[in-house]
Amino acid sequence: MAFVRAEVVGAGMAGLAAAVELTAAGLPVSLSEAGPRAGGRCRSYFDPSLGLTIDNGNHLVLAGNPAVAHFRATVGADAPLAGPPHATFAFADMATGERWTLRINDGPVPWWVLVPSRRVPGSRLADYLPLGRLLKGRADQTIGDLVRPQGPVWERMLHPVLLAALNTDPAASSAALCANVLAETLAKGGRASAPRVAVPTLAAAFIDPAVGWLEAQGVALQTGRRLRGIRFEGDGVSALEWADGAQAIGADEAVVLAVPAWVAAALVPDLTVPDDHRSILNAHFACVPPPGAPEMLGLTNATSEWIFTHPDRISVTISGADRLMDEDREALAAMIWAEVAQALGITAPMPRWQIVKEKRATFAATPEQDARRPHTNTRWRNLFLAGDWVQNGLPATIEGAIRSGDSAARLVLGQPLKYGKGQ
């Protein structure tokens, strides 16, 4: 049926994407967020202990992410996404001191694996041939079912890159999710695989332009508005129960529920969602990086995994960080700073720091949890789901979140899905 307006609940990346697509199509939209600001996990805020504006985490996107590019173009985001002109990934082995840079050629024919200076040190061409199996991974398989989780290519490329993408032990992760990620990145070559980081902040690159664009179109974001319940009548939503009162929902009005999985499960009867999650830990240090420091540096044989350098700070991301969630924050900061200092050649004492722990950062990217992801449409004709935990073919990423919002909007509008995973 044709809807005359939409209520979008949640202003993370998925909710913003849905609101932008619906508004661009001319449908009246209301947008609400329980928190004090938009962005969800992709938020930026001023941290008084650092005296800086920081992101809650270092969310990487890739040059070939189509949903990211479309979203930013629609809202007129002009803050740059920083990164190398080609797909280069610098690494340092903290145990041996060895350093190398993966240099993936631009085109889809992977001739870079033929050149020793471009590939993983200590690897041979034969080590890369089994990787073709990863492009054919099934939903019931793990990555460990397809390739042996050992050797230089695994330890110095696949493990750190896939851990960052999946936020789950790669060997136990879904082979289908891995196949989808690789099909859109490495299989297309370096032009699609080049890493991109928001500069100066996630808010500047994604959130502020989207909120500003929506406001210019007459869509005001209501923050601090928490949804307490949903009333259902027959085959549809009849009312939303906010903390400040009930709101009737007409038969010709749509609701896009873009909230965390556990919140959606508490609001929607009999909704199956991922219920096993993985943590991410981020550390931020208020210091100017040394001259020549790479924008992004991967570490092996270390607790720290990826170092990101910004003009006014150094940030570190540790994925799959469940083991660190109960550790003392100051001890963690000291340990991580020691690795940063070693990797970047810094002799100064630890500067002001901040540790950000996200205990339920993403769903566990295992075959079992991927199978629990619901589709965008529901058994209620006017209720649609959005979020990186909703089935979109990708793990929990910015690209996946935006795709889910786009799919929800297209189902509301009765348009064909652009990415094909929402139903």
Side-chain angles (χ1 to χ4, degrees):
M1 67 172 295
F3 295 105
V4 299
R5 67 174 296 277
E7 186 79 32
V8 179
V9 183
M13 286 305 308
L16 288 173
V20 165
E21 283 297 305
L22 291 167
T23 302
L27 195 72
V29 172
S30 296
L31 177 62
S32 301
E33 164 61 39
R37 62 180 69 86
R41 289 189 58 239
C42 294
R43 64 187 180 275
S44 306
Y45 60 94
F46 180 79
D47 187 283
S49 64
L50 291 171
L52 300 171
T53 297
I54 62 172
D55 299 325
N56 71 311
N58 300 294
H59 295 270
L60 188 70
V61 298
L62 298 174
N65 286 158
V68 165
H70 172 73
F71 176 84
R72 281 173 45 84
T74 300
V75 301
D78 54 10
L81 295 177
H86 305 284
T88 56
F89 297 85
F91 286 92
D93 188 320
M94 300 297 283
T96 66
E98 192 172 7
R99 293 175 181 262
W100 67 95
T101 300
L102 297 179
R103 294 182 173 87
I104 301 168
N105 60 282
D106 286 348
V109 178
W111 56 260
W112 65 276
V113 301
L114 302 174
V115 183
S117 63
R118 285 178 169 263
R119 66 190 188 214
V120 173
S123 66
R124 304 168 300 161
L125 174 60
D127 296 330
Y128 296 85
L129 298 180
L131 302 189
R133 301 174 196 150
L134 294 178
L135 290 170
K136 301 177 181 180
R138 301 195 312 264
D140 63 336
Q141 293 176 312
T142 66
I143 295 172
D145 291 333
L146 301 180
V147 297
R148 290 197 305 165
Q150 60 186 56
V153 172
W154 176 264
E155 295 163 2
R156 294 185 159 194
M157 183 182 80
L158 281 181
H159 186 275
V161 169
L162 291 177
L163 180 58
L166 300 164
N167 195 37
T168 305
D169 173 29
S173 293
S174 164
L177 289 177
C178 175
N180 292 342
V181 169
L182 294 180
E184 297 193 11
T185 55
L186 284 179
K188 292 185 176 180
R191 193 172 290 110
S193 306
R196 295 289 180 263
V197 178
V199 173
T201 62
L202 287 164
F206 290 97
I207 310 306
D208 293 346
V211 172
W213 183 87
L214 286 167
E215 289 180 345
Q217 310 306 312
V219 181
L221 169 64
Q222 300 181 71
T223 58
R225 195 173 190 222
R226 185 173 299 278
L227 185 63
R228 301 292 190 186
I230 301 177
R231 294 182 198 168
F232 298 92
E233 279 187 24
D235 65 347
V237 173
S238 62
L240 299 179
E241 298 177 343
W242 302 97
D244 57 359
Q247 173 190 351
I249 299 294
D252 56 358
E253 296 178 309
V255 175
V256 176
L257 192 61
V259 297
W262 54 91
V263 176
L267 293 168
V268 181
D270 304 319
L271 180 65
T272 299
V273 301
D275 56 4
D276 185 16
H277 294 82
R278 294 292 181 268
S279 303
I280 293 178
L281 186 143
N282 291 280
H284 304 276
F285 300 96
C287 65
V288 176
E295 293 176 319
M296 186 174 79
L297 177 65
L299 304 183
T300 61
N301 288 314
T303 298
S304 305
E305 292 167 4
W306 293 93
I307 299 174
F308 297 86
T309 58
H310 301 269
D312 59 356
R313 67 190 187 278
I314 298 173
S315 298
V316 173
T317 292
I318 303 172
S319 300
D322 293 23
R323 68 195 186 282
L324 302 176
M325 288 297 104
D326 295 328
E327 296 294 322
D328 177 74
R329 296 173 70 256
E330 188 166 1
L332 283 170
M335 175 186 64
I336 294 169
W337 175 253
E339 293 179 340
V340 168
Q342 178 184 344
L344 300 183
I346 299 173
T347 58
M350 183 170 67
R352 289 172 294 155
W353 56 270
Q354 182 59 274
I355 297 290
V356 180
K357 299 179 180 181
E358 295 181 273
K359 291 191 174 182
R360 291 191 288 188
T362 71
F363 68 90
T366 61
E368 296 77 15
Q369 290 298 302
D370 189 38
R372 293 182 61 88
R373 298 169 76 182
H375 291 292
T376 303
N377 55 1
T378 69
R379 62 188 176 98
W380 290 278
R381 53 175 176 71
N382 61 342
L383 177 63
F384 305 89
L385 305 175
D388 60 14
W389 54 273
V390 176
Q391 188 58 256
N392 58 66
L394 296 177
T397 59
I398 289 178
E399 174 72 8
I402 295 175
R403 288 189 187 191
S404 77
D406 179 274
S407 294
R410 286 173 175 270
L411 288 173
V412 170
L413 296 167
Q415 297 176 352
L417 296 182
K418 186 186 298 185
Y419 304 107
K421 291 288 184 179
Q423 298 188 72

